[in-house]
Amino acid sequence: MNKMMWMRFMMVVIRTGFETAAADAAHGAEAVARMMEYNKSLQKAGELLGLDELFPPSTGARVSNADGTATVTDRPFAEAKEAIGGCWIIQVRSREEALEWARRAPMDNNEIIEVRQIYERADFSIVVQKAAEGFEDHSNAAAAKA
């Protein structure tokens, strides 16, 4: 099968209320078991490239840049209304297929999945591709389906 037929997507889990969660907040065993079954189905379909869950935002920091100076700000961030809880990287044939996988995910009521396509080098103009020459592509696209 032609590699160009495959697209990578990131399915980002956004958890409302997670922005104020304690550093040791975690899912219960039942929720984890449901999620592992879903992850296994993605893996069995050959479409799972990667997945990760994040610690709550209370353990994080932000680095902002202004006028060439980087400033580190520790949590909490007053303006945060939702927080990223984790993500999957999948490789599918279409946006519709990615959305179907997102619909199947066993999410809680306070969780949203944002589905975003990942740029491939070929998606950029020739000028941008030339600017990136010499950089080894470490993305999972290198392990694209045959």
Side-chain angles (χ1 to χ4, degrees):
M1 179 158 300
N2 184 346
K3 290 182 190 180
M4 299 309 273
M5 293 179 62
W6 295 96
M7 296 178 246
R8 291 181 304 146
F9 287 84
M10 178 179 278
M11 299 191 312
V12 180
V13 177
I14 300 170
R15 295 186 179 139
T16 56
F18 193 55
E19 66 280 0
T20 58
D24 61 351
H27 289 290
E30 187 177 306
V32 170
R34 283 193 318 270
M35 191 59 70
M36 290 304 107
E37 286 304 312
Y38 173 76
N39 293 341
K40 286 176 189 174
S41 68
L42 270 168
Q43 193 172 45
K44 184 177 179 182
E47 295 178 343
L48 179 65
L49 297 177
L51 69 147
D52 282 299
E53 185 166 356
L54 299 174
F55 276 89
S58 60
T59 66
R62 288 186 179 171
V63 179
S64 57
N65 291 282
D67 300 323
T69 302
T71 303
V72 176
T73 307
D74 284 318
R75 280 285 188 176
F77 305 115
E79 69 277 7
K81 292 185 175 42
E82 37 187 46
I84 296 172
C87 70
W88 295 269
I89 304 290
I90 61 172
Q91 188 165 339
V92 294
R93 290 183 179 96
S94 67
R95 178 178 182 267
E96 292 72 27
E97 192 175 346
L99 291 171
E100 183 54 39
W101 278 110
R103 282 187 200 97
R104 293 183 207 165
M107 307 310 292
D108 290 335
N109 289 336
N110 66 329
E111 296 174 326
I112 299 163
I113 297 178
E114 182 175 328
V115 178
R116 308 257 312 264
Q117 188 171 354
I118 298 171
Y119 276 107
E120 304 298 346
R121 189 169 288 196
D123 295 324
F124 292 100
S125 71
I126 297 298
V127 173
V128 173
Q129 289 182 41
K130 286 186 184 286
E133 281 181 359
F135 180 76
E136 185 178 341
D137 186 2
H138 292 285
S139 72
N140 286 319
K145 298 175 183 175

